Amino acid sequence: MKKMMMTLLSLVLALTLPLAAVAEEPEMDLLLEGLVTEIVDGGFVLDDINQGEVMVNTSEETVLDGVLLEEDLQVGMYVMVDFNGMMTFSLPPQVHADRIGCYRLSGSISEVFEDGSFLLTGDPIYDELIVHTALDMNLFVDMPITAYFNGAVAMSLPAQVGALHIIVPTLEGSISDLTEEGFTLTDAEGTAYEVKLTEETLLSLQMEEESAEETAEEETSEEVTEEEEAEVILELMDGQTVKVIYNGMMTRSIPAQITALEIIIQR
């Protein structure tokens, strides 16, 4: 009898321990983050920083946070998506969003610090914050700016956040009628703008990945001096595709006029 009781007890323990282990194992949540590129019925397409294009499905159980508590999801928003780790093998892969957060600051830059961070003022909630960023971009005082972050705010004086994505006033198009004072910029929709240059206007170069690879393959052993490299970067020509960063001010004339803070030549 005693032996039978011991056997039954062993069986109970054998059945109980695995169930307890399963119950204690935390449910794994994963995170996607990036720009919303398309809104569709029942979800949206996300350009995730690691996965690339992902179809995010939503439901009544999906929790919304940040600005999404008051605003509808829109193309161009930078969002963070919590999901349970299940992702389909389709193209694009699909997930179900357990939670979507969108955390946004807006205002103007009142000071740029040596480490690349800046003081943002005029935000409707925080008023004034120091924004840290590892993004490779030039920033200018008095420029209006929108910064997306992960929702975490260091409550120092002033408060501090780390920017994940930044939007500044930008136009993109091709150059025509180039003069010493400026040029005409025509965007993809055919709208023309008069772009004025100043002595403070910065010129920089942005190479597409394929172009950069082709350039690396075509490089010779001949060394290029910094002066020669600068001449290539600083050369504006009719027909070039450029991005123009400006201070947000645009005239109501036809064509509208802006003053360029930075011109990024795209190759």
Side-chain angles (χ1 to χ4, degrees), residues 193-212:
Y193 302 87
E194 290 298 324
V195 180
K196 302 299 180 183
L197 307 177
T198 69
E199 293 182 355
E200 287 76 33
T201 301
L202 295 179
L203 298 181
S204 57
L205 178 65
Q206 181 182 56
M207 297 186 69
E208 300 294 335
E209 290 186 6
E210 292 183 2
S211 298

Side-chain angles (χ1 to χ4, degrees), residues 103-120:
Y103 311 98
R104 185 181 64 206
L105 304 169
S106 62
S108 61
I109 297 175
S110 58
E111 186 175 357
V112 178
F113 304 111
E114 291 184 359
D115 63 357
S117 61
F118 60 90
L119 182 64
L120 182 148

Side-chain angles (χ1 to χ4, degrees), residues 215-229:
T215 301
E217 291 176 359
E218 294 172 0
E219 280 183 348
T220 64
S221 58
E222 183 179 351
E223 294 185 358
V224 179
T225 66
E226 291 183 2
E227 291 78 8
E228 290 172 333
E229 195 173 49

